[in-house]
């Protein structure tokens, strides 16, 4: 971790997340926000919203972001880092544009953004940058002085992100019956995306089968599996699997699906499985439903002992990692030589997204990149 607690030139940090409904009446309007421009009928959205209605129409993501905000503010205060932290969402209150307007009114002009997505992909990075550009355009239309916005690099291989997940897998293995524990398979799970989006994730020079999205998840899986082997003396077999697929059936998405994977593992004689949701910062709806509901039911149907390990959430080590990322980026902006904190074979992510990184089907302006219209 950095010793110098100097965040200049930055004067605020923005936690940027997806957002989620906080009651039954919010579900369809929230889904309308998520799917805006796709022409999906309201009746179809009500069907999709059944996942939320099973949990009282409440997504846990907003409360989890509040907990992360508390953890970040505590860590910053405990270490003497006087950087105010705000929170804005893409699809539900507090909305990003409203939060940026508040930050401008409070006098902030150099803003760092922490997105609740650790990996490179269109939906996990560039789409957030497009939302930032849209919000800046809205503020510009209101005649407000625009802040400069930079985004923290991808943090998939930062030890403060990895260590809580390693501990989560170890705890889940310890919860399995002793007679099946050593033979347990680890299924590292993340959000499935269209293969075309995966192939073009990351900088252009890294495009190809799976792109940066798959490569980064495979690296995290390997690092966690290696740490588990070192700490237990047991070499657990593992595989990267996917969940939460949506969209037209004819469009190829990353596979295998977690439930299909559980069937295959059971058929091959695996005695138990630990599911590690490495693609998610917190236990939001897709973890609660796709893993804790659907995958759990599939494992029970198969008679396959299964445990699901914890996400990073508001773990103090993750809060400390965010502090480190803030100080690292601030030092870079001041022209200092910096050694990024990153584990494994892949280098630390870039500070500024290059042209062609995680492109959209229809190009839109995106902030916090080389091609940003808001330098």
């Amino acid at each position: 971790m950095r010793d110098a607690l100097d965040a200049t030139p930055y004067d605020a940090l923005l936690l940027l997340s997806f957002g989620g409904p906080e009651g039954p009446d919010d579900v369809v309007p929230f889904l309308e926000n998520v799917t805006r421009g796709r022409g999906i009928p309201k009746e179809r959205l009500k069907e999709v919203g059944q996942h939320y209605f099973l949990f009282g129409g409440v997504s846990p993501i907003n409360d989890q972001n509040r907990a992360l905000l508390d953890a970040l503010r505590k860590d910053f205060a405990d270490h003497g880092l006087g950087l105010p932290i705000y929170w804005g969402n893409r699809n539900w209150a507090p909305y990003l544009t409203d939060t940026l307007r508040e930050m401008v009114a409070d006098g902030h002009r150099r803003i760092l953004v922490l997105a609740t997505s650790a990996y490179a992909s269109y939906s996990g990075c560039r789409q957030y940058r497009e939302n930032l550009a849209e919000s800046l355009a809205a503020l510009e239309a209101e005649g407000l002085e625009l802040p400069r916005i930079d985004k923290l690099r991808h943090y998939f291989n930062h030890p403060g992100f990895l260590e809580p997940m390693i501990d989560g897998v170890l705890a889940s293995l310890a919860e399995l019956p002793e007679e099946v524990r050593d033979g347990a398979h680890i299924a590292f799970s993340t959000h499935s995306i269209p293969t075309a989006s995966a192939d073009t994730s990351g900088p252009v020079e890294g495009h190809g089968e799976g792109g940066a999205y798959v490569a980064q998840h495979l690296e995290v899986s390997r690092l966690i599996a290696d740490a588990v082997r070192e700490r237990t003396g047991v070499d657990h077999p593992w595989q990267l699997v996917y969940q939460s697929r949506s969209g037209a059936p004819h469009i190829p998405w990353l596979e295998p699906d977690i439930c299909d994977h559980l069937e295959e593992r059971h058929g091959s004689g695996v005695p138990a499985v630990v599911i590690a949701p490495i693609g998610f910062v917190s236990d939001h709806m897709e973890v609660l439903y796709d893993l804790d509901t659907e995958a759990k039911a599939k494992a029970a149907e198969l008679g396959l002992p299964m445990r699901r390990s914890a996400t990073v959430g508001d773990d103090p080590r993750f809060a400390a990692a965010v502090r480190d990322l803030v100080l690292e980026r601030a030092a870079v902006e001041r022209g200092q030589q910096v050694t990024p904190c990153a584990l494994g074979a892949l280098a630390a992510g870039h500070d500024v997204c290059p042209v062609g990184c995680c492109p959209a089907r229809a190009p839109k302006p995106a902030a916090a990149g080389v091609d940003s219209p808001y330098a």
Side-chain angles (χ1 to χ4, degrees), residues 27 30 41 44 143 165 187 226 275 370:
V27 172
F30 163 73
R44 173 58 183 150
M165 292 191 292
D226 287 352
I275 301 176
V370 170

mmCIF file of all heavy atoms in Angstrom, residues 27 30 41 44 143 165 187 226 275 370:
data_model
loop_
_atom_site.group_PDB
_atom_site.id
_atom_site.type_symbol
_atom_site.label_atom_id
_atom_site.label_comp_id
_atom_site.label_asym_id
_atom_site.label_seq_id
_atom_site.Cartn_x
_atom_site.Cartn_y
_atom_site.Cartn_z
ATOM 1 N N VAL A 27 -39.677 -2.168 -9.635
ATOM 2 C CA VAL A 27 -39.068 -3.204 -10.473
ATOM 3 C C VAL A 27 -39.214 -2.903 -11.958
ATOM 4 O O VAL A 27 -38.223 -2.881 -12.703
ATOM 5 C CB VAL A 27 -39.658 -4.594 -10.137
ATOM 6 C CG1 VAL A 27 -39.158 -5.635 -11.139
ATOM 7 C CG2 VAL A 27 -39.271 -5.001 -8.721
ATOM 8 N N PHE A 30 -37.372 0.264 -13.086
ATOM 9 C CA PHE A 30 -35.937 -0.025 -13.105
ATOM 10 C C PHE A 30 -35.562 -0.791 -14.368
ATOM 11 O O PHE A 30 -34.586 -0.444 -15.057
ATOM 12 C CB PHE A 30 -35.553 -0.824 -11.861
ATOM 13 C CG PHE A 30 -34.228 -1.526 -11.949
ATOM 14 C CD1 PHE A 30 -33.038 -0.827 -11.875
ATOM 15 C CD2 PHE A 30 -34.168 -2.909 -12.118
ATOM 16 C CE1 PHE A 30 -31.815 -1.474 -11.970
ATOM 17 C CE2 PHE A 30 -32.953 -3.564 -12.203
ATOM 18 C CZ PHE A 30 -31.775 -2.844 -12.130
ATOM 19 N N PRO A 41 -41.541 -4.934 -24.489
ATOM 20 C CA PRO A 41 -42.859 -4.602 -23.937
ATOM 21 C C PRO A 41 -42.877 -4.693 -22.410
ATOM 22 O O PRO A 41 -42.136 -5.483 -21.810
ATOM 23 C CB PRO A 41 -43.786 -5.661 -24.555
ATOM 24 C CG PRO A 41 -43.029 -6.243 -25.696
ATOM 25 C CD PRO A 41 -41.577 -6.111 -25.365
ATOM 26 N N ARG A 44 -43.372 -8.115 -20.887
ATOM 27 C CA ARG A 44 -42.164 -8.937 -20.865
ATOM 28 C C ARG A 44 -41.279 -8.541 -19.686
ATOM 29 O O ARG A 44 -40.676 -9.397 -19.022
ATOM 30 C CB ARG A 44 -41.407 -8.792 -22.183
ATOM 31 C CG ARG A 44 -40.049 -9.479 -22.225
ATOM 32 C CD ARG A 44 -40.140 -10.967 -21.959
ATOM 33 N NE ARG A 44 -38.837 -11.596 -21.927
ATOM 34 C CZ ARG A 44 -38.535 -12.652 -21.213
ATOM 35 N NH1 ARG A 44 -39.452 -13.229 -20.450
ATOM 36 N NH2 ARG A 44 -37.314 -13.176 -21.249
ATOM 37 N N GLY A 143 -25.476 24.440 -18.577
ATOM 38 C CA GLY A 143 -24.574 25.571 -18.412
ATOM 39 C C GLY A 143 -23.643 25.461 -17.224
ATOM 40 O O GLY A 143 -23.053 26.464 -16.803
ATOM 41 N N MET A 165 -11.586 -13.114 -1.628
ATOM 42 C CA MET A 165 -12.167 -14.240 -2.366
ATOM 43 C C MET A 165 -11.439 -15.543 -2.047
ATOM 44 O O MET A 165 -12.068 -16.608 -1.971
ATOM 45 C CB MET A 165 -12.149 -13.949 -3.865
ATOM 46 C CG MET A 165 -13.085 -12.818 -4.259
ATOM 47 S SD MET A 165 -13.313 -12.669 -6.049
ATOM 48 C CE MET A 165 -11.684 -12.138 -6.572
ATOM 49 N N ALA A 187 -15.866 -24.120 -9.030
ATOM 50 C CA ALA A 187 -16.444 -23.498 -10.221
ATOM 51 C C ALA A 187 -16.364 -21.989 -10.045
ATOM 52 O O ALA A 187 -17.079 -21.414 -9.218
ATOM 53 C CB ALA A 187 -17.889 -23.938 -10.411
ATOM 54 N N ASP A 226 -4.398 -21.499 -6.946
ATOM 55 C CA ASP A 226 -3.021 -21.690 -6.480
ATOM 56 C C ASP A 226 -2.895 -21.368 -4.991
ATOM 57 O O ASP A 226 -2.207 -22.068 -4.237
ATOM 58 C CB ASP A 226 -2.058 -20.813 -7.279
ATOM 59 C CG ASP A 226 -1.826 -21.317 -8.696
ATOM 60 O OD1 ASP A 226 -2.295 -22.435 -9.018
ATOM 61 O OD2 ASP A 226 -1.188 -20.587 -9.488
ATOM 62 N N ILE A 275 -18.845 -23.008 -5.500
ATOM 63 C CA ILE A 275 -19.037 -21.979 -6.523
ATOM 64 C C ILE A 275 -18.462 -20.679 -5.986
ATOM 65 O O ILE A 275 -18.867 -20.199 -4.925
ATOM 66 C CB ILE A 275 -20.521 -21.790 -6.871
ATOM 67 C CG1 ILE A 275 -21.133 -23.098 -7.390
ATOM 68 C CG2 ILE A 275 -20.676 -20.683 -7.916
ATOM 69 C CD1 ILE A 275 -22.628 -23.003 -7.665
ATOM 70 N N VAL A 370 -8.954 7.885 -24.019
ATOM 71 C CA VAL A 370 -8.142 8.669 -24.942
ATOM 72 C C VAL A 370 -9.038 9.468 -25.901
ATOM 73 O O VAL A 370 -8.716 10.612 -26.261
ATOM 74 C CB VAL A 370 -7.192 7.740 -25.737
ATOM 75 C CG1 VAL A 370 -6.513 8.499 -26.879
ATOM 76 C CG2 VAL A 370 -6.156 7.137 -24.817
#
